[in-house]
Structures are given as C-alpha cells and as structure tokens.
Coordinates of all heavy atoms in Angstrom, one line a residue:
M1 N 0.8 -1.2 0.0 CA 0.0 0.0 0.0 C 0.9 1.2 0.0 O 1.9 1.3 0.7 CB -0.9 0.0 1.2 CG -1.8 1.2 1.3 SD -2.8 1.2 2.8 CE -4.3 0.7 2.0
F2 N 0.5 2.3 -0.7 CA 1.2 3.5 -0.9 C 0.9 4.4 0.3 O -0.2 4.4 0.8 CB 0.9 4.2 -2.2 CG 1.3 3.5 -3.4 CD1 0.4 2.8 -4.1 CD2 2.6 3.4 -3.8 CE1 0.7 2.1 -5.3 CE2 3.0 2.7 -4.9 CZ 2.1 2.0 -5.6
D3 N 2.0 5.1 0.7 CA 1.8 6.1 1.8 C 1.1 7.3 1.1 O 1.4 7.7 0.0 CB 3.1 6.6 2.3 CG 3.7 5.6 3.3 OD1 2.9 4.7 3.7 OD2 4.9 5.7 3.7
K4 N 0.2 7.9 1.9 CA -0.5 9.1 1.5 C 0.0 10.3 2.4 O 0.3 10.1 3.5 CB -2.0 8.9 1.7 CG -2.8 10.1 1.4 CD -4.3 9.8 1.6 CE -5.0 11.1 1.2 NZ -6.4 11.0 0.9
T5 N -0.1 11.5 1.8 CA 0.2 12.7 2.6 C -1.1 13.5 2.6 O -1.7 13.7 1.6 CB 1.4 13.5 1.9 OG1 2.5 12.7 1.9 CG2 1.7 14.7 2.7
A6 N -1.4 14.0 3.8 CA -2.6 14.8 4.0 C -2.2 16.0 4.9 O -1.3 15.8 5.8 CB -3.7 14.0 4.6
T7 N -2.8 17.1 4.7 CA -2.5 18.3 5.5 C -3.8 19.0 6.0 O -4.8 19.0 5.2 CB -1.7 19.3 4.7 OG1 -0.5 18.7 4.3 CG2 -1.3 20.5 5.5
C8 N -3.8 19.6 7.1 CA -4.9 20.4 7.6 C -4.4 21.5 8.5 O -3.3 21.4 9.0 CB -6.0 19.6 8.3 SG -5.6 19.0 9.9
R9 N -5.2 22.5 8.8 CA -4.9 23.5 9.7 C -5.9 23.5 10.8 O -7.1 23.3 10.6 CB -4.9 24.9 9.0 CG -3.8 25.0 8.0 CD -3.8 26.4 7.4 NE -2.7 26.4 6.4 CZ -2.1 27.5 6.0 NH1 -2.3 28.6 6.6 NH2 -1.1 27.4 5.1
V10 N -5.4 23.8 12.0 CA -6.2 23.9 13.2 C -5.8 25.1 14.0 O -4.7 25.6 13.8 CB -6.1 22.6 14.1 CG1 -6.6 21.4 13.5 CG2 -4.6 22.4 14.5
V11 N -6.7 25.6 14.8 CA -6.4 26.8 15.6 C -6.4 26.4 17.1 O -7.2 25.7 17.5 CB -7.5 27.9 15.4 CG1 -7.2 29.1 16.3 CG2 -7.5 28.3 13.9
V12 N -5.4 26.9 17.8 CA -5.3 26.7 19.2 C -6.3 27.6 19.9 O -6.1 28.8 19.9 CB -3.8 26.9 19.8 CG1 -3.8 26.7 21.3 CG2 -2.8 26.0 19.0
A13 N -7.4 27.1 20.4 CA -8.4 27.9 20.9 C -8.3 28.0 22.5 O -8.9 28.9 23.0 CB -9.8 27.3 20.6
R14 N -7.6 27.1 23.1 CA -7.5 27.1 24.6 C -6.8 28.4 25.1 O -5.7 28.7 24.5 CB -6.8 25.9 25.0 CG -7.6 24.6 24.6 CD -7.0 23.4 25.3 NE -6.9 23.5 26.7 CZ -8.0 23.4 27.5 NH1 -9.2 23.3 27.0 NH2 -7.8 23.5 28.8
P15 N -7.3 29.0 26.1 CA -6.6 30.2 26.6 C -5.2 29.9 27.1 O -4.3 30.8 26.9 CB -7.5 30.6 27.8 CG -8.9 30.1 27.5 CD -8.6 28.8 26.7
A16 N -4.9 28.7 27.6 CA -3.6 28.4 28.1 C -2.7 27.9 26.9 O -1.5 27.6 27.2 CB -3.7 27.3 29.1
G17 N -3.2 27.8 25.7 CA -2.4 27.4 24.6 C -2.2 25.9 24.6 O -2.9 25.2 25.2
L18 N -1.2 25.5 23.9 CA -0.8 24.1 23.7 C 0.1 23.7 24.9 O 1.3 23.6 24.7 CB -0.2 23.9 22.4 CG -0.2 22.4 21.8 CD1 -1.7 21.9 21.7 CD2 0.5 22.4 20.5
H19 N -0.4 23.5 26.1 CA 0.4 23.2 27.2 C 0.5 21.7 27.4 O 0.2 21.0 26.4 CB -0.2 23.9 28.5 CG -1.6 23.5 28.9 ND1 -1.9 22.3 29.5 CD2 -2.8 24.1 28.6 CE1 -3.2 22.2 29.7 NE2 -3.7 23.3 29.2
A20 N 0.9 21.2 28.5 CA 1.3 19.8 28.7 C 0.1 18.8 28.4 O 0.3 17.8 27.7 CB 1.9 19.5 30.1
R21 N -1.0 19.1 29.0 CA -2.1 18.1 28.8 C -2.6 18.0 27.4 O -2.8 16.9 26.8 CB -3.3 18.4 29.8 CG -2.9 18.0 31.2 CD -3.8 18.4 32.3 NE -5.2 18.2 32.0 CZ -6.2 18.8 32.6 NH1 -6.0 19.6 33.6 NH2 -7.5 18.6 32.3
P22 N -2.8 19.1 26.6 CA -3.2 19.0 25.2 C -2.1 18.3 24.4 O -2.4 17.5 23.5 CB -3.5 20.4 24.8 CG -3.8 21.2 26.0 CD -3.0 20.5 27.1
S23 N -0.8 18.6 24.7 CA 0.3 18.0 24.0 C 0.3 16.5 24.2 O 0.6 15.8 23.3 CB 1.6 18.7 24.4 OG 1.6 20.0 24.1
L24 N 0.0 16.1 25.4 CA 0.0 14.7 25.7 C -1.2 14.0 25.0 O -1.0 12.9 24.4 CB -0.2 14.4 27.2 CG -0.3 13.0 27.7 CD1 1.0 12.2 27.3 CD2 -0.5 12.9 29.1
A25 N -2.3 14.7 24.9 CA -3.5 14.1 24.2 C -3.1 14.0 22.7 O -3.5 13.0 22.1 CB -4.7 15.0 24.4
I26 N -2.4 15.0 22.1 CA -2.0 14.9 20.7 C -1.1 13.7 20.5 O -1.3 12.9 19.6 CB -1.4 16.2 20.3 CG1 -2.4 17.3 20.2 CG2 -0.7 16.0 18.9 CD1 -1.8 18.7 20.1
A27 N -0.1 13.6 21.3 CA 0.9 12.5 21.2 C 0.3 11.2 21.3 O 0.6 10.3 20.5 CB 2.1 12.7 22.2
E28 N -0.6 11.0 22.3 CA -1.2 9.7 22.5 C -2.1 9.3 21.3 O -2.2 8.2 20.9 CB -2.0 9.7 23.8 CG -1.2 9.7 25.0 CD -2.0 9.8 26.3 OE1 -3.1 10.2 26.3 OE2 -1.4 9.4 27.4
T29 N -2.8 10.3 20.8 CA -3.7 10.1 19.6 C -2.8 9.7 18.4 O -3.1 8.7 17.7 CB -4.5 11.3 19.3 OG1 -5.3 11.6 20.4 CG2 -5.3 11.1 18.0
V30 N -1.7 10.4 18.1 CA -0.9 10.1 17.0 C -0.3 8.7 17.1 O -0.2 7.9 16.1 CB 0.2 11.2 16.9 CG1 1.3 10.7 15.9 CG2 -0.4 12.5 16.4
R31 N 0.1 8.3 18.3 CA 0.7 7.0 18.5 C -0.3 5.8 18.2 O 0.2 4.7 18.1 CB 1.3 6.9 19.9 CG 2.5 7.8 20.1 CD 3.0 7.6 21.6 NE 3.9 8.7 21.8 CZ 4.0 9.3 23.0 NH1 3.2 8.9 24.0 NH2 4.8 10.3 23.2
R32 N -1.5 6.1 18.2 CA -2.5 5.0 17.8 C -2.6 4.7 16.3 O -3.2 3.7 15.9 CB -3.9 5.4 18.3 CG -4.0 5.5 19.8 CD -5.5 5.6 20.3 NE -6.4 6.3 19.4 CZ -7.0 7.4 19.7 NH1 -6.8 8.0 20.8 NH2 -7.8 8.0 18.8
F33 N -1.9 5.5 15.5 CA -2.0 5.4 14.1 C -0.6 5.1 13.6 O 0.4 5.2 14.3 CB -2.5 6.7 13.4 CG -3.9 7.0 13.8 CD1 -4.2 7.7 14.9 CD2 -4.9 6.6 13.0 CE1 -5.5 8.0 15.3 CE2 -6.2 6.8 13.3 CZ -6.5 7.6 14.4
R34 N -0.5 4.6 12.3 CA 0.8 4.3 11.7 C 1.5 5.5 11.0 O 2.7 5.5 10.8 CB 0.6 3.1 10.7 CG 0.2 1.9 11.4 CD 0.0 0.7 10.6 NE 0.5 0.8 9.2 CZ 0.0 0.1 8.2 NH1 -1.0 -0.8 8.4 NH2 0.5 0.2 7.0
S35 N 0.7 6.5 10.7 CA 1.3 7.6 10.0 C 2.1 8.5 10.9 O 1.8 8.6 12.1 CB 0.1 8.5 9.4 OG -0.6 7.8 8.4
R36 N 3.1 9.2 10.3 CA 3.9 10.2 11.0 C 3.2 11.5 10.8 O 2.8 11.9 9.7 CB 5.3 10.2 10.5 CG 6.2 11.2 11.1 CD 7.6 11.1 10.7 NE 8.5 12.0 11.4 CZ 8.8 13.2 11.1 NH1 8.3 13.7 9.9 NH2 9.6 14.0 11.8
V37 N 3.2 12.3 11.9 CA 2.5 13.6 11.9 C 3.5 14.7 12.3 O 4.2 14.5 13.3 CB 1.3 13.7 12.7 CG1 0.6 15.1 12.7 CG2 0.3 12.6 12.3
V38 N 3.6 15.7 11.5 CA 4.5 16.9 11.9 C 3.6 18.1 12.1 O 2.6 18.3 11.3 CB 5.5 17.2 10.7 CG1 6.2 18.5 11.0 CG2 6.4 16.0 10.5
V39 N 3.8 18.8 13.1 CA 3.1 20.0 13.5 C 3.9 21.2 13.2 O 5.1 21.3 13.7 CB 2.6 20.0 14.9 CG1 1.8 21.3 15.3 CG2 1.8 18.8 15.2
R40 N 3.4 22.2 12.4 CA 4.2 23.4 12.1 C 3.5 24.6 12.7 O 2.3 24.7 12.6 CB 4.3 23.6 10.6 CG 5.3 22.6 10.0 CD 5.6 22.9 8.5 NE 6.6 22.0 8.0 CZ 6.3 20.8 7.6 NH1 5.0 20.4 7.6 NH2 7.2 19.9 7.1
S41 N 4.3 25.4 13.3 CA 3.8 26.7 13.9 C 4.8 27.7 13.4 O 5.9 27.8 13.9 CB 3.8 26.6 15.5 OG 3.5 27.8 16.0
G42 N 4.4 28.5 12.5 CA 5.3 29.5 11.9 C 6.4 28.7 11.2 O 6.2 27.8 10.4
K43 N 7.7 29.0 11.6 CA 8.8 28.4 11.0 C 9.3 27.1 11.8 O 10.1 26.4 11.3 CB 10.0 29.3 10.9 CG 9.8 30.5 10.0 CD 11.0 31.4 9.9 CE 10.7 32.6 9.0 NZ 11.8 33.5 9.0
D44 N 8.7 26.9 12.9 CA 9.1 25.8 13.8 C 8.2 24.6 13.5 O 7.1 24.7 13.1 CB 8.9 26.2 15.3 CG 9.8 27.3 15.7 OD1 10.9 27.4 15.2 OD2 9.3 28.2 16.4
E45 N 8.8 23.4 13.7 CA 8.0 22.2 13.5 C 8.4 21.2 14.6 O 9.4 21.2 15.2 CB 8.2 21.6 12.1 CG 9.6 21.0 11.8 CD 9.6 20.4 10.5 OE1 9.1 20.9 9.5 OE2 10.2 19.3 10.4
A46 N 7.4 20.3 14.8 CA 7.6 19.3 15.9 C 7.0 17.9 15.4 O 6.0 17.9 14.7 CB 6.9 19.7 17.2
D47 N 7.6 16.9 15.9 CA 7.0 15.5 15.7 C 5.8 15.4 16.7 O 6.0 15.6 17.9 CB 8.1 14.5 16.1 CG 7.6 13.0 15.9 OD1 6.3 12.8 15.8 OD2 8.4 12.1 15.9
A48 N 4.6 15.2 16.1 CA 3.4 15.2 17.0 C 3.4 14.0 18.0 O 2.5 14.1 18.9 CB 2.2 15.1 16.1
A49 N 4.2 13.1 17.8 CA 4.3 12.0 18.8 C 5.1 12.3 20.0 O 5.2 11.5 20.9 CB 4.8 10.7 18.1
S50 N 5.8 13.5 20.0 CA 6.7 13.9 21.1 C 6.1 15.0 21.9 O 6.0 16.2 21.3 CB 8.0 14.3 20.5 OG 8.8 14.9 21.5
V51 N 5.7 14.8 23.1 CA 5.2 15.9 24.0 C 6.2 17.0 24.1 O 5.8 18.2 24.0 CB 4.8 15.3 25.4 CG1 4.4 16.4 26.3 CG2 3.7 14.2 25.2
L52 N 7.4 16.7 24.3 CA 8.5 17.8 24.5 C 8.6 18.6 23.2 O 8.7 19.8 23.3 CB 9.8 17.2 24.9 CG 9.8 16.6 26.3 CD1 11.2 16.0 26.6 CD2 9.5 17.6 27.3
E53 N 8.6 18.0 22.1 CA 8.7 18.8 20.8 C 7.4 19.6 20.6 O 7.6 20.8 20.2 CB 8.9 17.8 19.6 CG 10.3 17.3 19.5 CD 10.6 16.6 18.2 OE1 10.0 17.0 17.2 OE2 11.3 15.6 18.3
L54 N 6.3 19.1 21.0 CA 5.0 19.9 20.9 C 5.1 21.1 21.8 O 4.8 22.3 21.4 CB 3.8 19.1 21.2 CG 3.5 18.0 20.1 CD1 2.4 17.1 20.7 CD2 3.0 18.7 18.8
L55 N 5.6 20.9 23.0 CA 5.7 22.0 24.0 C 6.7 23.1 23.5 O 6.5 24.3 23.8 CB 6.1 21.5 25.4 CG 5.1 20.7 26.1 CD1 5.7 20.0 27.3 CD2 3.9 21.6 26.5
S56 N 7.7 22.6 22.8 CA 8.8 23.6 22.3 C 8.2 24.5 21.3 O 8.8 25.6 21.0 CB 10.0 22.8 21.7 OG 9.6 22.3 20.5
L57 N 7.1 24.3 20.7 CA 6.5 25.2 19.8 C 6.0 26.5 20.4 O 5.9 27.5 19.8 CB 5.3 24.5 19.0 CG 5.6 23.3 18.1 CD1 4.4 22.7 17.6 CD2 6.6 23.8 17.0
G58 N 5.6 26.4 21.7 CA 5.1 27.5 22.4 C 3.9 28.1 21.8 O 3.7 29.3 21.7
A59 N 3.0 27.2 21.3 CA 1.8 27.7 20.6 C 0.7 28.2 21.5 O 0.1 27.4 22.3 CB 1.2 26.5 19.7
G60 N 0.5 29.5 21.5 CA -0.5 30.1 22.3 C -1.8 30.2 21.7 O -2.0 29.8 20.5
Q61 N -2.8 30.7 22.5 CA -4.2 30.8 22.0 C -4.2 31.6 20.7 O -3.5 32.7 20.6 CB -5.0 31.5 23.0 CG -6.5 31.6 22.6 CD -7.3 32.2 23.7 OE1 -6.9 33.0 24.5 NE2 -8.6 31.8 23.8
G62 N -4.9 31.2 19.7 CA -5.1 31.8 18.4 C -4.1 31.4 17.4 O -4.2 31.8 16.2
R63 N -3.1 30.7 17.8 CA -2.1 30.3 16.8 C -2.6 29.2 15.8 O -3.3 28.3 16.2 CB -0.9 29.7 17.6 CG 0.2 29.1 16.7 CD 0.8 30.1 15.8 NE 2.1 30.6 16.5 CZ 3.0 31.3 15.8 NH1 2.8 31.7 14.6 NH2 4.0 31.7 16.5
V64 N -2.3 29.4 14.6 CA -2.8 28.5 13.5 C -1.6 27.5 13.4 O -0.5 27.9 13.1 CB -3.1 29.2 12.2 CG1 -3.4 28.1 11.1 CG2 -4.2 30.1 12.4
L65 N -1.9 26.2 13.5 CA -1.0 25.1 13.3 C -1.3 24.4 12.0 O -2.5 24.1 11.7 CB -1.0 24.1 14.5 CG -0.8 24.7 15.9 CD1 -1.0 23.7 16.9 CD2 0.6 25.4 16.0
T66 N -0.3 24.0 11.3 CA -0.4 23.1 10.1 C 0.0 21.7 10.5 O 1.1 21.5 11.0 CB 0.4 23.6 9.0 OG1 0.1 25.0 8.7 CG2 0.2 22.8 7.7
L67 N -0.9 20.8 10.3 CA -0.6 19.4 10.6 C -0.5 18.6 9.3 O -1.3 18.7 8.4 CB -1.8 18.7 11.4 CG -2.4 19.5 12.6 CD1 -3.5 18.8 13.2 CD2 -1.3 19.7 13.6
T68 N 0.6 17.9 9.2 CA 0.9 17.1 8.0 C 1.1 15.7 8.4 O 2.0 15.4 9.2 CB 2.1 17.7 7.2 OG1 1.9 19.0 6.9 CG2 2.4 16.9 5.9
A69 N 0.4 14.8 7.8 CA 0.5 13.4 8.1 C 0.9 12.6 6.9 O 0.5 12.9 5.8 CB -0.8 12.8 8.6
K70 N 1.8 11.7 7.0 CA 2.3 10.9 5.9 C 2.2 9.4 6.4 O 2.9 9.0 7.4 CB 3.7 11.2 5.5 CG 4.1 10.4 4.3 CD 5.5 10.9 3.7 CE 5.8 10.1 2.5 NZ 7.0 10.5 1.9
G71 N 1.5 8.6 5.6 CA 1.4 7.2 6.0 C 0.1 6.6 5.5 O -0.8 7.3 4.9
P72 N -0.2 5.4 5.7 CA -1.4 4.7 5.2 C -2.7 5.2 5.8 O -3.7 5.0 5.2 CB -1.1 3.2 5.5 CG -0.2 3.3 6.7 CD 0.7 4.5 6.5
D73 N -2.6 5.8 7.0 CA -3.9 6.2 7.6 C -3.8 7.8 7.9 O -4.3 8.2 8.9 CB -4.2 5.5 8.9 CG -3.0 5.4 9.8 OD1 -1.9 6.1 9.6 OD2 -3.0 4.7 10.9
A74 N -3.2 8.5 7.0 CA -3.0 9.9 7.1 C -4.3 10.7 7.3 O -4.4 11.5 8.2 CB -2.2 10.5 5.9
D75 N -5.3 10.4 6.5 CA -6.6 11.1 6.7 C -7.2 10.8 8.0 O -7.8 11.7 8.7 CB -7.6 10.7 5.6 CG -7.2 11.2 4.2 OD1 -6.6 12.4 4.2 OD2 -7.5 10.6 3.2
Q76 N -7.2 9.6 8.5 CA -7.8 9.2 9.8 C -7.1 9.9 10.9 O -7.8 10.3 11.9 CB -7.8 7.7 9.9 CG -8.6 6.9 9.0 CD -7.9 6.6 7.7 OE1 -6.9 7.1 7.3 NE2 -8.5 5.7 6.9
V77 N -5.8 9.9 11.0 CA -5.1 10.5 12.1 C -5.4 12.0 12.1 O -5.6 12.6 13.2 CB -3.6 10.2 12.1 CG1 -2.8 10.9 11.0 CG2 -3.0 10.6 13.4
L78 N -5.5 12.7 11.0 CA -5.8 14.1 10.9 C -7.2 14.4 11.4 O -7.4 15.3 12.1 CB -5.5 14.7 9.6 CG -4.1 14.8 9.1 CD1 -4.0 15.6 7.8 CD2 -3.2 15.5 10.2
E79 N -8.1 13.5 11.0 CA -9.5 13.7 11.5 C -9.6 13.5 13.0 O -10.3 14.3 13.7 CB -10.4 12.7 10.8 CG -11.9 12.8 11.3 CD -12.5 14.2 11.1 OE1 -12.0 15.0 10.2 OE2 -13.4 14.6 11.9
A80 N -8.8 12.6 13.6 CA -8.8 12.4 15.0 C -8.2 13.6 15.7 O -8.7 14.1 16.8 CB -8.0 11.1 15.4
L81 N -7.2 14.2 15.1 CA -6.6 15.4 15.7 C -7.5 16.6 15.6 O -7.6 17.4 16.5 CB -5.2 15.7 15.1 CG -4.1 14.7 15.4 CD1 -2.9 14.9 14.5 CD2 -3.8 14.7 16.9
R82 N -8.2 16.7 14.4 CA -9.2 17.8 14.3 C -10.2 17.8 15.3 O -10.6 18.8 15.9 CB -9.8 17.8 12.9 CG -9.0 18.4 11.8 CD -9.8 18.6 10.5 NE -10.1 17.4 9.9 CZ -9.4 16.8 8.9 NH1 -8.3 17.4 8.5 NH2 -9.8 15.7 8.4
Q83 N -10.7 16.6 15.6 CA -11.7 16.4 16.7 C -11.2 16.8 18.1 O -11.9 17.4 18.9 CB -12.2 14.9 16.7 CG -13.0 14.6 15.5 CD -14.3 15.4 15.3 OE1 -15.0 15.7 16.3 NE2 -14.5 15.9 14.1
L84 N -9.9 16.5 18.3 CA -9.3 16.9 19.6 C -9.3 18.4 19.8 O -9.7 18.9 20.8 CB -7.8 16.4 19.7 CG -7.6 15.0 20.2 CD1 -6.1 14.8 20.2 CD2 -8.1 14.8 21.6
F85 N -8.9 19.1 18.7 CA -8.9 20.5 18.8 C -10.3 21.1 18.8 O -10.5 22.0 19.6 CB -8.1 21.1 17.5 CG -6.6 21.1 17.7 CD1 -5.9 20.0 17.4 CD2 -6.0 22.2 18.2 CE1 -4.5 20.0 17.5 CE2 -4.6 22.2 18.3 CZ -3.9 21.1 18.0
A86 N -11.2 20.5 18.1 CA -12.6 21.0 18.0 C -13.3 20.9 19.4 O -14.2 21.7 19.7 CB -13.4 20.3 16.9
H87 N -12.9 19.8 20.1 CA -13.6 19.6 21.4 C -12.7 19.9 22.6 O -12.9 19.3 23.7 CB -14.1 18.1 21.4 CG -15.1 17.8 20.3 ND1 -16.4 18.3 20.4 CD2 -15.0 17.2 19.2 CE1 -17.0 17.9 19.3 NE2 -16.2 17.3 18.5
S88 N -11.8 20.8 22.4 CA -11.0 21.3 23.5 C -10.3 20.2 24.3 O -10.1 20.3 25.5 CB -11.8 22.2 24.4 OG -11.0 23.0 25.2
F89 N -9.9 19.2 23.5 CA -9.1 18.1 24.1 C -9.8 17.4 25.2 O -9.2 16.7 26.1 CB -7.7 18.5 24.6 CG -6.9 19.2 23.5 CD1 -7.0 20.6 23.3 CD2 -6.2 18.4 22.6 CE1 -6.2 21.1 22.3 CE2 -5.4 19.0 21.6 CZ -5.5 20.4 21.4
G90 N -11.2 17.5 25.2 CA -12.0 16.9 26.3 C -11.8 17.5 27.7 O -12.2 16.9 28.6
M91 N -11.3 18.7 27.7 CA -11.0 19.3 29.0 C -11.9 20.4 29.4 O -11.8 21.0 30.5 CB -9.5 19.9 29.0 CG -8.5 18.8 28.9 SD -6.9 19.6 28.9 CE -6.1 18.5 27.7
G92 N -12.8 20.8 28.5 CA -13.7 21.9 28.8 C -12.9 23.2 28.9 O -11.8 23.3 28.4
D93 N -13.5 24.2 29.6 CA -12.8 25.5 29.8 C -11.9 25.4 31.0 O -12.3 25.0 32.1 CB -13.8 26.6 29.9 CG -14.5 26.9 28.6 OD1 -13.9 26.6 27.6 OD2 -15.7 27.3 28.7
E94 N -10.7 25.8 30.9 CA -9.7 25.9 32.0 C -9.3 27.3 32.2 O -9.2 28.1 31.4 CB -8.5 25.1 31.8 CG -8.8 23.6 31.9 CD -7.5 22.8 31.7 OE1 -6.4 23.3 31.5 OE2 -7.6 21.6 31.8

C-alpha cells in the first residue's frame, strides 16, 4: 500500500495554549496510528508523537498550526486530531 500525505490547519483555541495536557493528548492520539505527523507553527516544527517537541512550539491561543500526516492512515489521524482541537481536548474550559 502506498503512503498518503494529508494536511490540515487547526487553531489553538484554549486560553492556556498548547500546554502539557493537550500536547499529551495529541501525542497519545498520533501513536494509535501508523502515519507520522508533523506540526508546524510558523517556521518551527515538531513531531506530533513527542510531547516535548510539541511544547517547544510555544503555541499560544489563536495560533494556527499546520498538521501534515504521511502514511497509510494519514486522513484518519488528521481527523482524530481535528476532533481533539474542536472539542478542546476533552478538557472543557480551564
């Protein structure tokens, strides 16, 4: 099977930005899939499976992130990540 590449954009809506708990939720979600996901914030990028790399982006509220997935389930992993961002990582308002 051929690897597919898919890209989407999401906005960090949480007032605290992309802190430890959302970063952990992203990394855990990505690890359930076979595709590799890279998160870009401006000129910086991070492996979405790494909490520390995600934290290094310093993505605050309102920041637009570009997610790029490459692998056999690229569309599925991006949809799972879009849902995380859309539903505030299941954390409600903090």
Side-chain angles (χ1 to χ4, degrees):
M1 178 180 259
F2 294 103
D3 281 348
K4 178 181 178 159
T5 301
T7 301
C8 73
R9 290 182 185 210
V10 293
V11 176
V12 178
R14 300 189 54 73
L18 201 60
H19 60 81
R21 286 176 39 201
S23 295
L24 179 61
I26 291 168
E28 287 176 342
T29 298
V30 167
R31 291 179 194 143
R32 293 193 327 245
F33 295 88
R34 293 181 13 206
S35 295
R36 179 174 185 266
V37 180
V38 173
V39 179
R40 285 189 181 79
S41 175
K43 295 180 182 180
D44 298 322
E45 69 177 44
D47 179 345
S50 170
V51 174
L52 291 178
E53 286 190 32
L54 290 168
L55 289 171
S56 75
L57 294 174
Q61 184 178 30
R63 175 64 97 168
V64 176
L65 304 176
T66 302
L67 311 178
T68 303
K70 182 173 184 179
D73 51 6
D75 288 329
Q76 293 89 344
V77 69
L78 290 186
E79 180 57 29
L81 291 171
R82 276 193 290 267
Q83 291 300 316
L84 274 180
F85 278 87
H87 297 286
S88 199
F89 302 94
M91 292 179 220
D93 292 331
E94 286 184 359

